[in-house]
Amino acid sequence: MSLRSFFQPVRGVLLLAAGLIAFGAQAQAVFRVTTIPEEAATEQVRKFTPLAQYLEKQLGVKVEFTPVNDYPAAVEALVNKKVDLVWFGGFTFVQANLRSGGKVVPLAQREEDTKFQSVFIAKTDSGIKSLADMKGKQVSFGSQSSTSGHLMPRSFLLQANINPEKDFARVAYSGAHDATIASVVSGKVDAAALDITVWRKFVGENKVDTKAVDVFYTTPGYFNYNWSVHADMPKAMQDKVKAALIGLSPAVPEQAEILKLNRATRYIETRPENYKGLEAAARSAGLI
């Protein structure tokens, strides 16, 4: 038997083994999804697990949703490619894009995110009826990296010639929108700013008594949240993810439920230019 004829079967076995290993690695590949923790981790899991299950069917790969502890962790997770898809606020998108050297790609946003708003709330018997009434009071924002819970409320305050550090008795950061509401309800602070959709959700679910705590100021609109990926993701996969998100239809009961959980009427395409205004606001406020 020649050496060539001896090694041919061995080579075939090795190629087969290599193929099986490659197939196994491909089969075990996981598409990882996370979000900024705008609410408690249990609520994030409840809201986004059905979306992860939908994406698994659409993409044909295993999809896992895992919450992170804070906003900066969501930024670092995508910048370092520890996750594949992240639900960012507009400001965290700006931070991630700057941190990565422009390598973060926004794929889709909710229709609502083209004209998003923040609300300022206070106890109805507090005497706070305007932004100016907040002077000398204890005020809470959400996370320091939150668009709707910090950046844009601060920006509008500055436009009204109100400097939080100089004009408020104390500035606090709750870390999440639900915690912001709780801080006003409990009396820990006199007033606070948060995401309008979280406020409406709490009111709609009777989790807050608007006779005791209510909105006294609603901001003008601005661009906000989006689903983003790293630019190193193959373009074909980017397109597939975008199509899956934009393809969510309110006419399909299962998909309508996903949209409802995400507080969305539908998802639409977005682009980096939409967030230039937020970047400018962040620079003006000294946050970047």
Side-chain angles (χ1 to χ4, degrees):
M1 177 184 291
S2 69
L3 286 176
R4 183 177 180 181
S5 60
F6 172 78
F7 279 112
Q8 276 183 335
V10 175
R11 182 172 177 272
V13 170
L14 290 175
L15 287 172
L16 176 61
L20 288 172
I21 290 170
F23 176 80
Q26 186 178 22
Q28 293 171 16
V30 175
F31 188 90
R32 299 147 299 177
V33 180
T34 195
T35 69
I36 54 170
E38 55 180 0
E39 295 179 78
T42 52
E43 179 64 7
Q44 296 288 292
V45 170
R46 184 185 76 85
K47 282 170 54 180
F48 292 107
T49 295
L51 177 63
Q53 293 168 342
Y54 164 80
L55 289 174
E56 187 165 292
K57 294 175 184 177
Q58 297 298 311
L59 303 179
V61 297
K62 183 173 177 57
V63 176
E64 289 182 357
F65 173 78
T66 305
V68 292
N69 293 328
D70 54 35
Y71 284 53
V75 170
E76 291 303 314
L78 187 62
V79 169
N80 295 311
K81 296 186 279 190
K82 301 295 184 183
V83 296
D84 302 288
L85 178 67
V86 179
W87 176 242
F88 278 140
F91 186 28
T92 36
F93 163 76
V94 169
Q95 290 175 317
N97 203 36
L98 292 173
R99 173 84 175 75
S100 67
K103 297 202 73 175
V104 172
V105 180
L107 297 181
Q109 63 183 174
R110 298 172 303 187
E111 194 169 41
E112 289 81 356
D113 293 316
T114 62
K115 47 180 188 266
F116 207 82
Q117 293 174 296
S118 298
V119 293
F120 284 82
I121 62 172
K123 287 192 173 180
T124 52
D125 62 1
S126 66
I128 299 175
K129 304 298 179 185
S130 68
L131 295 181
D133 293 335
M134 297 167 67
K135 291 185 176 182
K137 304 293 186 180
Q138 299 186 79
V139 178
S140 180
F141 295 109
S143 165
Q144 288 181 295
S145 295
S146 173
T147 309
S148 56
H150 180 221
L151 168 60
M152 294 314 290
R154 177 180 285 272
S155 180
F156 290 119
L157 285 167
L158 292 172
Q159 289 177 35
N161 296 315
I162 299 171
N163 185 318
E165 278 66 40
K166 292 180 179 179
D167 295 323
F168 298 157
R170 180 171 71 94
V171 175
Y173 295 93
S174 71
H177 299 296
D178 49 1
T180 298
I181 296 172
S183 68
V184 177
V185 172
S186 66
K188 288 183 179 179
V189 296
D190 302 301
L194 72 146
D195 175 327
I196 192 171
T197 67
V198 176
W199 172 255
R200 287 173 174 167
K201 173 193 165 190
F202 268 64
V203 171
E205 295 176 355
N206 295 314
K207 291 182 177 178
V208 60
D209 180 3
T210 53
K211 291 181 180 178
V213 175
D214 207 356
V215 172
F216 66 87
Y217 179 79
T218 301
T219 72
Y222 52 86
F223 277 96
N224 202 358
Y225 301 87
N226 66 54
W227 285 106
S228 286
V229 298
H230 198 283
D232 288 350
M233 176 183 286
K235 184 65 165 56
M237 179 57 95
Q238 291 185 33
D239 291 343
K240 204 169 182 181
V241 174
K242 182 191 294 187
L245 292 168
I246 294 174
L248 282 163
S249 172
V252 179
E254 180 182 330
Q255 295 177 21
E257 182 60 24
I258 292 171
L259 290 169
K260 181 180 178 182
L261 285 169
N262 294 183
R263 299 194 295 274
T265 51
R266 66 186 180 113
Y267 281 106
I268 60 175
E269 189 172 358
T270 192
R271 52 199 176 129
E273 292 75 21
N274 289 339
Y275 305 94
K276 289 298 183 182
L278 294 181
E279 182 177 343
R283 292 190 186 281
S284 296
L287 298 179
I288 56 174

